[in-house]
Amino acid sequence: MEFQAVILISVATLGFISLCSSIINLVKWVYIMFLRPPKNLKRSYGSWAVITGSTDGIGKAIAMELASEGLNLVLVGRDSLKLESTSSEIRYRIGDRVSIRTIVIDFAKVGGEEIEKRIGEEIEGLDVGVLINNAGLAYPFARFFHEVDLNLMESVVGVNIVGATWVTKAVLAGMLKKKKGAIVNIGSGSSGAAVSSYPLYTIYAATKA
């Protein structure tokens, strides 16, 4: 009887500890998601942010948000007209509170070392504290792996992996030197986070994992 009581108390104790742990994790999540005051990115990391794929969608929205927080921007894209349009739109909304630079480069058409060289030259002397690797290239339409031609395959890999890798290499040195910085790599739900299998976009899903 005493042995059964010990087992019962032990199981109840473990259950109570597990419940407390779950409650603590829930409270932490609620605090982080809804109650924690926003971090001052400029003070915490640096006064400049580099954003690839910055002229449309997620990248453009992030650029707007970072500018509203007072960060100066280095906008990276392959279309000079879109870069100029995005820069003008940010200046119209934010005013002259931030500085904006643009870099025209197509990750699908240049090698990794050239990417690092170009980005490194453009950000030299800037206090870059935030890097958003957002640039991405997908198929123009769905197709199976064996149907993807070599040029498209190389372009997808070049933009989604090579570009992100070498831009990071160009920016990381400065962050390591000052011992602070934030790097965000934008992925995709197709990589398995939201969709368990994405057979018609295999290469894209793999490069955005």
Side-chain angles (χ1 to χ4, degrees):
M1 192 67 177
E2 292 182 359
F3 178 74
Q4 291 178 339
V6 170
I7 295 297
L8 182 61
I9 293 172
S10 298
V11 171
T13 301
L14 290 174
F16 178 73
I17 293 173
S18 178
L19 177 62
C20 289
S21 177
S22 298
I23 292 174
I24 291 172
N25 289 333
L26 177 62
V27 171
K28 286 182 178 178
W29 180 82
V30 171
Y31 173 75
I32 291 171
M33 295 299 294
F34 303 107
L35 303 176
R36 183 175 63 179
K39 178 177 287 189
N40 187 315
L41 298 178
K42 194 171 184 178
R43 185 182 302 120
S44 299
Y45 300 124
S47 58
W48 285 82
V50 176
I51 308 164
T52 68
S54 56
T55 58
D56 295 290
I58 295 173
K60 185 175 181 179
I62 291 175
M64 290 285 186
E65 183 64 25
L66 293 179
S68 71
E69 294 295 325
L71 270 76
N72 303 309
L73 305 177
V74 178
L75 305 180
V76 183
R78 60 183 177 180
D79 189 319
S80 59
L81 295 179
K82 282 189 173 183
L83 283 169
E84 183 57 39
S85 175
T86 301
S87 300
S88 298
E89 187 175 345
I90 293 173
R91 290 191 181 98
Y92 176 77
R93 293 190 182 186
I94 307 300
D96 297 327
R97 293 189 291 119
V98 299
S99 298
I100 302 175
R101 296 189 181 187
T102 60
I103 303 175
V104 181
I105 186 170
D106 188 343
F107 296 154
K109 296 181 179 179
V110 296
E113 292 183 354
E114 176 64 19
I115 293 172
E116 181 188 16
K117 180 175 181 292
R118 286 282 310 283
I119 299 297
E121 290 175 348
E122 294 290 343
I123 66 173
E124 186 175 2
L126 302 182
D127 180 25
V128 176
V130 177
L131 167 61
I132 309 295
N133 280 315
N134 173 70
L137 179 66
Y139 311 163
F141 57 88
R143 63 187 78 177
F144 288 105
F145 176 80
H146 65 279
E147 297 173 333
V148 180
D149 62 81
L150 181 59
N151 288 336
L152 178 57
M153 184 183 299
E154 290 179 342
S155 294
V156 171
V157 172
V159 173
N160 299 352
I161 294 182
V162 176
T165 300
W166 287 88
V167 170
T168 300
K169 192 171 186 295
V171 173
L172 188 59
M175 292 181 175
L176 291 174
K177 187 175 182 179
K178 63 183 183 178
K179 297 183 179 179
K180 62 180 181 178
I183 299 175
V184 179
N185 297 315
I186 305 298
S188 170
S190 65
S191 64
V195 182
S196 59
S197 179
Y198 220 58
L200 294 176
Y201 286 90
T202 306
I203 299 172
Y204 173 76
T207 59
K208 277 295 185 177

